[in-house]
Amino acid sequence: MGKLIINSYDEFATYLGKELGCSDWLQIDQDRINMFADATLDHQWIHVDVERAKEETPYKSTIAHGYLTLSVLPYLWAQIIEVRNIKMLVNYGMDKMRFGQPVITGSRVRMTTKLHNIQNLRGICKVEIEFKIEIEGQRKPALEGIASFLYYFK
């Protein structure tokens, strides 16, 4: 399935309650984790100290920051959908977000999505997207919740 193309509010609304698509897999390697640690000033050893994590964690490896897993959502979302005829897109909020299990370094993740709700707020399209960030080969997702976006159609 290719990228979903949306041209208007009415077109978007036809997907209410339906699957919107799935992203490609993205590998979460140690370099990405280290760069995220530098960007966020979160250098907790379970993320960046490979040798200590090998010895002291039940995962026998470092793990990605939970917020790193969350931060790839816009990248993965852009692989699933292209909304045309908009002036801008604004992140509006996150609801019911839960971290199900850690992403072990070297794992691959992808996102699946469903249109949970859509509203016309005085000409602004508010969408709520149910999402799951899955880990390849794992039954339980790394992260799930509802992401809200505001689309300003032209």
Side-chain angles (χ1 to χ4, degrees), residues 2-22:
K3 188 185 284 194
L4 178 64
I5 306 295
I6 299 291
N7 294 293
S8 68
Y9 175 90
D10 291 336
E11 198 175 307
F12 220 150
T14 66
Y15 288 92
L16 184 60
K18 297 179 184 172
E19 300 291 324
L20 297 173
C22 182

Side-chain angles (χ1 to χ4, degrees), residues 89-95 126-129 146-150:
L89 160 65
V90 176
N91 293 320
Y92 188 70
M94 298 298 262
D95 293 304
K126 178 185 176 192
V127 296
E128 295 176 353
I129 307 300
I146 298 174
S148 299
F149 302 108
L150 300 178

Side-chain angles (χ1 to χ4, degrees), residues 2-48:
K3 188 185 284 194
L4 178 64
I5 306 295
I6 299 291
N7 294 293
S8 68
Y9 175 90
D10 291 336
E11 198 175 307
F12 220 150
T14 66
Y15 288 92
L16 184 60
K18 297 179 184 172
E19 300 291 324
L20 297 173
C22 182
S23 72
D24 292 333
W25 292 104
L26 173 68
Q27 186 166 32
I28 306 296
D29 60 19
Q30 192 64 53
D31 285 344
R32 186 179 309 278
I33 292 169
N34 292 344
M35 286 188 290
F36 189 83
D38 289 344
T40 60
L41 308 176
D42 180 357
H43 292 91
Q44 186 181 169
W45 68 268
I46 62 172
H47 305 302
V48 297

Side-chain angles (χ1 to χ4, degrees), residues 28-29 33 58-64 101-108 135 138:
I28 306 296
D29 60 19
I33 292 169
Y59 318 110
K60 304 299 179 206
S61 173
T62 53
I63 59 173
Q101 68 174 326
V103 176
I104 296 171
T105 304
S107 297
R108 295 189 332 154
I135 305 168
Q138 299 294 316

Side-chain angles (χ1 to χ4, degrees), residues 112-129:
T112 60
T113 58
K114 178 179 175 182
L115 182 55
H116 177 72
N117 195 17
I118 184 167
Q119 294 175 276
N120 185 339
L121 305 176
R122 295 183 308 276
I124 300 166
C125 175
K126 178 185 176 192
V127 296
E128 295 176 353
I129 307 300

